[in-house]
Amino acid sequence: MKDIDNLCVNCFEELTEGAVCANCGYDNDTSVDFIYLSPKTVLQDKYVVGAIQKLESDSVSYSGYDRQLGKRIIIREFFPKGMVSRLEESDLLHVRQKYVGSIERYKKEFQNLWTALQKMHSLSAVTPVYDVFEANDTVYAIIEYTESIPLREYLLRNEEGFITWDTARLMFMPVLTTIEALHNNGIIHGSITPDSLVLCRDGKVRLAPFCIQSCADSSSDFEFVSSEGYTALEQYDNNHRMCPGTDIYAFSACIYRALVGTNPPSATSREANDKLMIPNSIAETIPVHVIKAIGNGLQIYPEKRIKNISDFRELLDAAPSVKAQAAVHPNSDDTPKYDYAKLAEPEKNKGSRVAIAVFSILIILAIAAGIYVVKFTDLVNPATTEPTATEQLTTYEVPKLANNGYTQSDIENNGAWNQQFKFTFNADYSTDAEEGIIFRQNIQPGETVAAGTEIVLTVSKGIQTVQVPDVGNLTITEATAQLESFGLKVSTVEVYNDGSHTPDTVKALNGSAPAVGETVAIGEEIILQVYGEVQTTTAPATEAQD
């Protein structure tokens, strides 16, 4: 067993050159915010907490070390952003007042997710989960540490920026089995992107550790972070609901990115202008059945989208040559393996380049013979023409842009709208619209205006917030008055006074939760740590002796 005191808390290799690790370069003297677990905290008498690796909407991930197995791990702690905090020198989670009624439900969802993943350890695309347990008024998941690179990074390393279907098929098809198993257990991933699909050294593509389903729904209490091009329409605040088709949409978008080299447009922009296209030069290299599968998977409305993974798999695998190959090798492993080192570098396979060159010649001959690329559901580029003078004078009906889930990015990336109107943006607070959502437009929907008319759109800055002021060393009366002047509520907890502090004054360092400088909503409760009266012990008086 390694001496924990002499290990780097980031990579858990031995420190040989002082506090800065020679192996990973991490400075072990880095200070850690007291609201998170301190490095080298031990859980369950065997899991050593290390440096913070990632902050998610529902959790914080720490590097960790399993003392029994003697190996590096990842420790995932249920720590919903903005809902909980910690008081100094305490590992127990403190729940903010407004979330007391819902936190147990979210905690149970977190525990159920990781318990289900623990039982799916045999699936190739699941990152193995070793343990799930409760402690410190929260829940922890112990996850295998794996070296990997995101699919997005791998694609960017390729000279062309995209890959062929033959390569993509080896990556994507095995993942479908894992997604199907999640759905069978009532779990919607909700955030499949080229960043959450990772290529591992053991030759597998895995789903990176992900958040609970509530984090992927903009209507929940969690911080919602959309991924443009991959977040399905139903994940925004509207009348549609998340379903297995939500993951099919995101997975189809990942295939699109891998084969085309660009992100598909956002779902909200496509709702108003549904133009999802593949350049002709690239479409010619993608099998027809794959284009059809992408088209089905990227249907904007979930009720029109393919409903389950099984049917989606059949569409992707529908090529006669693929079926014939499966018939010849009926006992072959359905989980293709490939070399991580080769995938981590740009493709340089000479044989595949020759095959592509031959295929290109055949395409040229086919075009010369009058055979054209078939267009499927507007996925292939239509011909573009310059607008005529008459078209330039056309008037347009103003669409509903406010309170429809659109962001500034959605508007700026909508080519049709930007040809019709000129947009300018400002920002303001809103109690109804989430931060980043457009909630006001100066020209009402349905009005007819000339081409190029300026439309001013107001983007929500979210609920008005304030930074927690420093009230350390103030009396409780002074501190309360100052906090209430900012529109904040105040409650107190008494802390031990060793005699060196004035009673009824606020602790100077880390005396509030949320902490000094943290951004909070107007009306939120601030808990202050206040010194109590000095505790004295007086010996009882002895009776006088006669």
Side-chain angles (χ1 to χ4, degrees), residues 299-353:
Q299 287 291 320
I300 298 175
Y301 299 107
E303 58 268 23
K304 295 182 179 180
R305 205 177 302 148
I306 194 161
K307 298 297 188 292
N308 59 68
I309 292 293
S310 178
D311 291 344
F312 184 61
R313 182 192 291 111
E314 285 188 17
L315 282 180
L316 281 176
D317 222 7
S321 60
V322 174
K323 290 188 174 181
Q325 186 177 8
V328 172
H329 305 288
N331 297 320
S332 61
D333 185 2
D334 191 39
T335 306
K337 300 294 190 298
Y338 46 84
D339 184 62
Y340 172 93
K342 290 182 179 179
L343 286 177
E345 298 296 332
E347 289 184 320
K348 297 182 180 179
N349 188 298
K350 182 177 179 181
S352 64
R353 292 185 179 275

Side-chain angles (χ1 to χ4, degrees), residues 487-504:
L488 302 171
K489 298 177 182 178
V490 180
S491 63
T492 63
V493 293
E494 186 175 300
V495 294
Y496 173 72
N497 188 348
D498 62 3
S500 61
H501 304 283
T502 303
D504 294 327

Side-chain angles (χ1 to χ4, degrees), residues 4 103 139 219 343 384 400 425:
I4 300 300
I103 200 71
V139 179
S219 63
L343 286 177
T384 57
K400 179 178 172 59
F425 301 87

Side-chain angles (χ1 to χ4, degrees), residues 77-136:
E77 178 184 46
F78 176 68
F79 196 98
K81 190 174 182 180
M83 298 187 202
V84 299
S85 185
R86 277 192 173 93
L87 298 176
E88 190 178 21
E89 299 178 357
S90 174
D91 290 340
L92 299 178
L93 243 58
H94 166 72
V95 181
R96 291 187 176 179
Q97 185 181 28
K98 66 181 293 187
Y99 301 109
V100 169
S102 57
I103 200 71
E104 285 301 320
R105 172 165 52 88
Y106 293 136
K107 184 163 68 173
K108 189 65 176 177
E109 185 180 353
F110 183 89
Q111 187 170 26
N112 289 344
L113 167 64
W114 290 101
T115 300
L117 290 173
Q118 184 180 12
K119 296 176 182 177
M120 296 181 194
H121 60 86
S122 61
L123 296 176
S124 65
V126 170
T127 302
V129 178
Y130 298 142
D131 197 3
V132 181
F133 57 89
E134 294 187 61
N136 300 330

Side-chain angles (χ1 to χ4, degrees), residues 9 30 156 179 227 235 257-258 297 320 377 413 478 483-484 511 516:
V9 296
T30 301
L156 291 173
I179 298 176
S227 181
Q235 294 177 259
R257 168 64 184 90
T377 62
N413 290 327
E478 294 169 336
L483 290 170
E484 288 180 344
V516 173

